[in-house]
Amino acid sequence: MATRSRKPFDLRAQPGFLFIAMICFFMLYLPIVTLVVFAFNAGESVAVWQGFSTRWFQSAWHNSQVQEAAWRTLYVATIAATGAAIMATMAALATTRTAGYRGLTFKYAFINQPLMVPEIVTAVALLIVFSRFKVWSGYTGIGYVLLAHTAFCIPFAYLPIRARLESMDLTLERAAADLYATPWNAFRRVTLPLLWPGILAGYMLAFVISLDDVVITEFVKSGGQETLPTYMLGQLRRVVTPEINAISSVFLALSILIVTLFFIVSRKRN
Amino acid sequence: MASVASAIDARGVSKVFRGAGQDEVRALDHVSVAIRENEFFTLLGPSGCGKTTLLRLIAGFDFPTEGEILLYGDDIAMLPPYKRPVNTVFQNYALFPHMTVAQNIGFGLEMLGKPKDEIAGRVAEMLRLVRMEELKDRRTSQISGGQQQRVALARALAPRPKVLLLDEPLSALDYKLRKDMQIELKRLQHETGITFIFVTHDQEEALTMSDRIAVMSKGRILQIGSPRDIYERPAERFVANFIGETNMLKGKLGKVSKDLADVTLHAGPKLKATVPETLPASGEVTVVIRPEHARIAPGGKTAGLLKGELENIVFFGTDTHFHVKLNDGSPFIVRQQNASSEAPGLSIGSQVSIAVAENSARVLKD
């Protein structure tokens, strides 16, 4: 019998595979690469190369509007990710540390709702509700944005935390209880330390999601509450300079950094 | 009889699990058992017999549907596990992976709020007891299965529980290590003076280690007794079958005097057998004869009780098993030690006769 050099079904052996793969690859990355390249353009154009320069990074760095929006973005993302991680941890504990019951699947769906409902629908709904609130309470601060971000970040934080809890050996908690640990002590001394990588992963995922949200922020924010994405959107409507590319590139770098950390943390097992 | 309260006294304990539909599973069915202080007590039975359920009820991981569980006279059946002075050695050890060996052992004492120096002293003592002093700062993932087992034991023993529960703790170890740990467990029980309740499905393990054994099947305790009792005087067919190899022969019950009875076997002539307190109702009885209580000899001439054809010879190192088909068709196994002087020159297919040691046969209750 002839020796088989390939597995019975090897996708790479199918006709046109390489072609399709290359198209996908270029469609995904060519625009991003172009964007980053033109961030270093010396000229005012985002399409015609006029030599290398870091002037747009400097100009963005010194732009007070960008600074303010950047700080607000980080502030919102930090608060929202923290809130979401806490809520998601509690939700994950409640949905995994229980015997299965009727309605549990419904609960999963309920928690994951923001993943399924079109973002624009949530945004419009929040706009209507919050505008009423603003009239009643007179409060127009950043709180609405924080609340909205926390809410839609919960399912993103929930998924890795729940996965971690489900893969955890339940007898460890039982052993803690057997060794005189009250439920709170068992959680503090056994469950939480083992769950920590999951919470951290959930936190970072939520952070990234909050970081680049445009739609909900745009609808919910009051005047003077620009985040970096909404600021960029606003700029695109006016004059487009490579400053936008520079901001985007830094943003991209930050996201890649966090996502990389997320993968490192979630791969770390005991 | 019970002048001193038993360490554990389960009274009419039942546990019913409700399934997804209307069906319910009765994991324990009115189980009553009194376990004495400082006893090595084994719950023995096949998987699904309820032994682990009973252990979980004693530990507090589950609560009985009915009945009470007394610990030195106090009903603990409804207490959460962290309020019971009872510790468990888990089947998979359940060591805390984010703690060192020493931290694992000290966990229980720490949770009890003992002062630091007392914890340190007791941890050192426990490490010495299980011979793990050198590995105290290792992570539990950095030690072998046998060592993990010893840490799990030390961790459960450190708070000096009134009762130690062991849930098939040796099942994950290989044969040699298991033998060593059996001896180690007996030593620990002796040195600490703590009541051990040991769950296993391994009858050999139960026989070698226990002071007393409760044989369980289908949520009920069939017999409680010393290993010798259970082995030599099995009360029921299930017990006889489950513990060790055994021969069962049908016969007719004759005259009964005190605890001995005449039984006429269908396969051969009469023999005397010991009888249980309650005799079976009908004259038809089953008699149990252990393979090592029979002797085999060549030919049909010897005045042996049973005669048949030798079908197979299986060599086991220390002894040999002879599989015989008796003249009435029923199978019979004889086990003989391989002492060189008594190797009977037997060949497969030859006629043999089997002599049964006096009073070694036992009449079953059912």
Side-chain angles (χ1 to χ4, degrees):
Chain A
M1 250 182 95
T3 49
R4 276 190 292 189
S5 57
R6 285 202 173 102
K7 286 174 191 154
F9 182 81
D10 188 343
L11 193 64
R12 282 171 296 177
Q14 303 306 306
F17 174 80
L18 187 69
F19 180 69
I20 296 169
M22 292 306 269
I23 286 195
C24 291
F25 190 78
F26 281 121
M27 293 297 279
L28 279 173
Y29 290 104
L30 204 57
I32 294 176
V33 171
T34 317
L35 177 130
V36 174
V37 167
F38 277 92
F40 294 96
N41 196 358
E44 303 251 325
S45 169
V46 291
V48 184
W49 184 254
Q50 286 164 289
F52 180 86
S53 154
T54 55
R55 65 180 269 216
W56 295 111
F57 285 92
Q58 288 165 18
S59 112
W61 183 256
H62 294 296
N63 183 335
S64 64
Q65 278 179 303
V66 174
Q67 280 176 10
E68 199 194 316
W71 281 120
R72 188 174 292 111
T73 307
L74 290 176
Y75 170 74
V76 170
T78 309
I79 303 271
T82 308
I86 293 169
M87 305 276 262
T89 304
M90 294 195 285
L93 283 168
T95 49
T96 54
R97 294 296 181 265
T98 170
Y101 56 88
R102 209 181 286 270
L104 189 60
T105 342
F106 177 72
K107 257 189 198 172
Y108 288 146
F110 200 76
I111 292 165
N112 290 328
Q113 166 270 335
L115 294 180
M116 284 165 261
V117 175
E119 203 182 349
I120 188 71
V121 174
T122 314
V124 171
L126 286 174
L127 174 73
I128 295 166
V129 172
F130 284 168
S131 64
R132 292 276 81 197
F133 260 90
K134 284 175 190 174
V135 171
W136 287 337
S137 64
Y139 171 72
T140 56
I142 194 77
Y144 298 106
V145 176
L146 292 176
L147 206 59
H149 275 237
T150 307
F152 74 69
C153 281
I154 289 174
F156 294 97
Y158 173 75
L159 291 176
I161 296 172
R162 184 183 137 198
R164 180 88 188 174
L165 271 174
E166 277 180 345
S167 67
M168 223 158 97
D169 183 4
L170 272 178
T171 49
L172 291 177
E173 285 160 39
R174 215 172 280 148
D178 187 63
L179 292 160
Y180 313 106
T182 58
W184 167 245
N185 275 338
F187 175 73
R188 199 170 55 87
R189 295 294 309 279
V190 176
T191 314
L192 196 58
L194 294 173
L195 186 57
W196 197 239
I199 296 177
L200 212 56
Y203 178 89
M204 286 193 279
L205 208 54
F207 193 87
V208 173
I209 296 295
S210 163
L211 213 57
D212 78 349
D213 179 75
V214 179
V215 180
I216 289 177
T217 319
E218 186 68 28
F219 276 68
V220 169
K221 74 180 167 60
S222 306
Q225 292 179 355
E226 300 286 357
T227 61
L228 216 42
T230 62
Y231 169 78
M232 287 159 70
L233 187 66
Q235 286 302 298
L236 287 175
R237 295 201 192 108
R238 297 176 199 138
V239 200
V240 181
T241 64
E243 191 181 79
I244 283 289
N245 296 40
I247 299 168
S248 302
S249 302
V250 174
F251 216 157
L252 179 68
L254 184 65
S255 291
I256 291 175
L257 181 74
I258 295 172
V259 171
T260 310
L261 280 176
F262 164 77
F263 274 111
I264 292 171
V265 166
S266 51
R267 272 180 59 190
K268 193 186 153 217
R269 296 262 154 204
N270 296 330
Chain B
M1 200 171 88
S3 57
V4 182
S6 305
I8 288 285
D9 195 354
R11 294 181 181 170
V13 173
S14 293
K15 178 67 190 176
V16 179
F17 291 107
R18 273 171 235 293
Q22 294 301 310
D23 52 326
E24 28 182 74
V25 183
R26 197 164 267 272
L28 286 176
D29 191 6
H30 297 95
V31 165
S32 294
V33 56
I35 296 162
R36 297 169 196 145
E37 183 170 341
N38 198 8
E39 184 170 41
F40 197 119
F41 192 90
T42 298
L43 299 170
L44 174 68
S47 56
C49 72
K51 58 190 192 297
T52 299
T53 305
L54 182 55
L55 201 76
R56 287 167 53 86
L57 294 183
I58 298 171
F61 303 138
D62 225 327
F63 304 104
T65 313
E66 57 182 312
E68 46 188 13
I69 298 170
L70 307 182
L71 177 76
Y72 288 97
D74 301 324
D75 192 356
I76 57 162
M78 290 303 168
L79 285 183
Y82 56 90
K83 286 190 181 159
R84 302 182 185 206
V86 166
N87 291 143
T88 308
V89 177
F90 293 85
Q91 188 168 11
N92 65 352
Y93 315 143
L95 298 178
F96 304 127
H98 56 299
M99 298 182 196
T100 64
V101 166
Q103 284 168 337
N104 262 283
I105 297 173
F107 187 84
L109 296 162
E110 204 184 315
M111 289 298 118
L112 285 171
K114 300 282 184 210
K116 278 210 159 54
D117 46 339
E118 187 188 329
I119 296 176
R122 189 85 65 81
V123 168
E125 182 192 328
M126 284 299 135
L127 284 165
R128 213 173 317 119
L129 187 70
V130 297
R131 299 170 185 143
M132 289 283 294
E133 290 111 313
E134 287 99 66
L135 300 172
K136 68 181 166 61
D137 294 323
R138 290 276 189 92
R139 288 275 166 144
T140 54
S141 54
Q142 296 167 323
I143 57 176
S144 73
Q147 290 165 339
Q148 287 181 12
Q149 165 78 82
R150 296 222 287 270
V151 176
L153 268 166
R155 184 179 71 173
L157 284 169
R160 297 215 177 101
K162 288 192 171 147
V163 174
L164 185 77
L165 309 174
L166 303 106
D167 185 10
E168 308 216 21
L170 307 182
S171 60
L173 303 177
D174 62 45
Y175 182 79
K176 186 79 175 60
L177 206 51
R178 200 160 66 226
K179 292 276 149 205
D180 293 345
M181 279 310 296
Q182 286 177 5
I183 295 163
E184 183 91 357
L185 272 178
K186 277 301 272 184
R187 177 181 71 86
L188 284 174
Q189 199 256 335
H190 189 75
E191 283 181 20
T192 56
I194 289 172
T195 308
F196 277 32
I197 303 178
F198 185 85
V199 160
T200 185
H201 62 266
D202 184 334
Q203 45 98 7
E204 192 192 316
E205 207 165 87
L207 290 175
T208 43
M209 298 171 74
S210 320
D211 294 322
R212 284 195 307 155
I213 299 172
V215 183
M216 296 183 70
S217 170
K218 292 178 184 156
R220 289 170 50 241
I221 292 181
L222 301 180
Q223 190 174 0
I224 301 175
S226 69
R228 183 165 282 269
D229 252 358
I230 301 252
Y231 186 78
E232 289 183 352
R233 289 176 286 280
E236 293 187 36
R237 185 180 301 267
F238 179 87
V239 178
N241 256 326
F242 193 72
I243 314 276
E245 256 184 314
T246 192
N247 298 299
M248 293 200 188
L249 296 176
K250 294 252 178 230
K252 227 175 159 50
L253 192 64
K255 194 160 63 69
V256 180
S257 54
K258 271 165 84 183
D259 55 351
L260 277 180
D262 292 325
V263 180
T264 314
L265 297 175
H266 296 338
K270 259 196 240 177
L271 54 70
K272 280 202 185 296
T274 61
V275 289
E277 278 167 35
T278 50
L279 276 172
S282 71
E284 277 292 304
V285 292
T286 304
V287 167
V288 175
I289 300 165
R290 294 289 181 188
E292 66 275 19
H293 289 153
R295 305 202 59 74
I296 193 164
K301 287 158 223 138
T302 329
L305 267 168
L306 301 158
K307 296 189 172 55
E309 186 190 318
L310 184 59
E311 285 196 313
N312 206 356
I313 302 173
V314 184
F315 180 70
F316 271 90
T318 53
D319 48 32
T320 303
H321 293 192
F322 299 91
H323 294 251
V324 179
K325 189 175 166 191
L326 296 181
N327 287 341
D328 72 336
S330 46
F332 197 96
I333 298 172
V334 177
R335 178 154 77 213
Q336 244 156 259
Q337 276 204 341
N338 288 332
S340 56
S341 60
E342 10 174 5
L346 294 168
S347 55
I348 291 169
S350 66
Q351 288 295 309
V352 291
S353 56
I354 296 163
V356 177
E358 205 167 325
N359 298 345
S360 65
R362 172 83 176 172
V363 175
L364 285 182
K365 205 158 64 180
D366 53 343

